[in-house]
Amino acid sequence: MATEHIVVVGAGQMGAGIAQVALQAGLRVSLVDVNKDGLAKGADRIKAGLKKLVEKGKLDAAKQQAAEANLATFTSAREAKDVDVAIEAVTENEDLKRRIFLELDEVVRPGGILATNTSSIPITRIAAATKRPEAVIGMHFMNPVPVMQLVELIRGAATSEETYTTIRTMAERMGKTTVVSKDYPGFIVNRILIPMLNEACFALMEGLGTAEDIDTAMKLGTNQPMGPLQLADFIGLDTVLYIAEVLHKGLGDSKYRPCPLLRQYVDAGWYGKKSGRGFYKY
């Protein structure tokens, strides 16, 4: 199955990162975002990322130029033509994703694939919004995409073997290592990661230690490169809360209940690094 032309919907950090690694793999990429400023920033982020690789000697100038020539930007996915694969990488909102998949169903050529970068929403529910549920798959990249090696592949109830094999091959072409998760809330990474971050929030709320002490303890005590509260800030506390809610609702177990302090910070607009304040100030 051909995967030479992909559409990436969402030009934020995740979408731009996905587009960059696809371009580095020699794919033709149409980057789509309804926000013109966000689209321009995404394209600039991609070009800056490619330039940095050239400066580090990890990419030659000819491949940089070829990659940039293979990038097109649009404010509507309908402007892209002859699309083999669409990868949706918008904010973690199920209603929004389902609306986008309805549109992508009309954009991607017959026989093409619809992938979502969702970090927690069931693939089966997203696929149900399309006319081709067998061609829908989860393709969860880790952030920052150009650096992190993992891609979680999640098969919905109807995902075909051909869809899975094609997307796994494409991910490997992008230089990624893949793992396969069943279609349960949070998949593998966030099923384990989000409860840890949430528990760190409870530890802070209960006065077990300061944010700095909690993070230092986990970094030095468990050999993690970043403490859980700082990591939550980098992910975005609103995103952490949303995934925690998906886990709590989807699995029905009180152990996944979001920490009240996490919810309070989100209510205050303290989303972490992207807003300038979370558990730390930036």
Side-chain angles (χ1 to χ4, degrees):
M1 187 182 294
T3 58
E4 295 305 311
H5 180 203
I6 72 171
V7 163
V8 178
V9 181
Q13 187 175 14
M14 287 297 295
I18 294 168
Q20 181 184 322
V21 296
L23 290 165
Q24 289 170 210
L27 300 175
R28 188 158 56 95
V29 177
S30 294
L31 183 64
V32 176
D33 200 299
V34 295
N35 184 302
K36 289 184 179 180
D37 290 339
L39 185 60
K41 288 178 181 177
D44 288 343
R45 184 180 287 117
I46 292 167
K47 292 173 183 177
L50 294 171
K51 182 180 178 182
K52 187 177 294 185
L53 289 175
V54 173
E55 291 171 349
K56 291 182 176 180
K58 296 182 178 180
L59 188 71
D60 63 51
K63 289 185 177 180
Q64 175 196 13
Q65 292 174 1
E68 291 184 4
N70 277 333
L71 176 64
T73 58
F74 302 105
T75 54
S76 171
R78 296 185 185 280
E79 298 177 62
K81 306 298 180 185
D82 301 318
V83 178
D84 298 316
V85 177
I87 303 176
E88 167 274 312
V90 302
T91 188
E92 196 73 347
N93 179 292
E94 184 172 345
D95 289 339
L96 175 61
K97 289 180 185 292
R98 286 171 65 91
R99 289 198 301 272
I100 289 172
F101 267 72
L102 281 171
E103 182 178 0
L104 292 177
D105 211 3
E106 305 300 322
V107 171
V108 176
R109 64 170 179 77
I113 294 172
L114 309 178
T116 173
N117 184 55
T118 180
S119 56
S120 62
I121 300 169
I123 307 305
T124 301
R125 289 213 300 262
I126 295 175
T130 77
K131 299 173 184 175
R132 55 175 105 181
E134 73 286 349
V136 178
I137 191 168
M139 195 179 189
H140 180 210
F141 290 82
M142 304 296 121
N143 195 27
V145 178
V147 176
M148 302 294 280
Q149 292 300 303
L150 182 68
V151 174
E152 276 186 307
L153 300 181
I154 306 97
R155 301 176 67 159
T159 304
S160 71
E161 186 66 25
E162 184 180 18
T163 295
Y164 162 70
T165 301
T166 299
I167 291 300
R168 185 190 66 194
T169 300
M170 188 176 79
E172 291 171 349
R173 179 175 172 180
M174 293 178 184
K176 303 302 182 184
T177 298
T178 64
V179 296
V180 182
S181 171
K182 289 187 176 181
D183 190 20
Y184 293 137
F187 317 134
I188 296 173
V189 173
N190 282 322
R191 173 72 176 268
I192 298 168
L193 175 64
I194 296 301
M196 183 186 76
L197 304 187
N198 193 48
E199 193 62 28
C201 297
F202 274 111
L204 181 64
M205 183 181 74
E206 294 167 8
L208 188 63
T210 65
E212 291 82 359
D213 282 346
I214 291 168
D215 278 352
T216 299
M218 291 302 293
K219 283 192 291 184
L220 302 184
T222 62
N223 200 28
Q224 297 183 36
M226 186 181 297
L229 297 174
Q230 184 183 15
L231 178 55
D233 273 356
F234 275 55
I235 293 171
L237 301 190
D238 52 336
T239 300
V240 173
L241 175 60
Y242 184 86
I243 299 172
E245 290 174 334
V246 168
L247 290 172
H248 190 205
K249 180 179 179 181
L251 297 169
D253 192 322
S254 62
K255 72 179 181 180
Y256 297 111
R257 71 196 187 285
C259 175
L261 182 64
L262 173 62
R263 193 179 299 280
Q264 183 184 60
Y265 275 38
V266 172
D267 288 343
W270 299 348
Y271 301 146
K273 186 178 180 182
K274 62 185 175 184
S275 69
R277 181 170 182 176
F279 294 112
Y280 299 91
K281 293 183 179 179
Y282 300 89

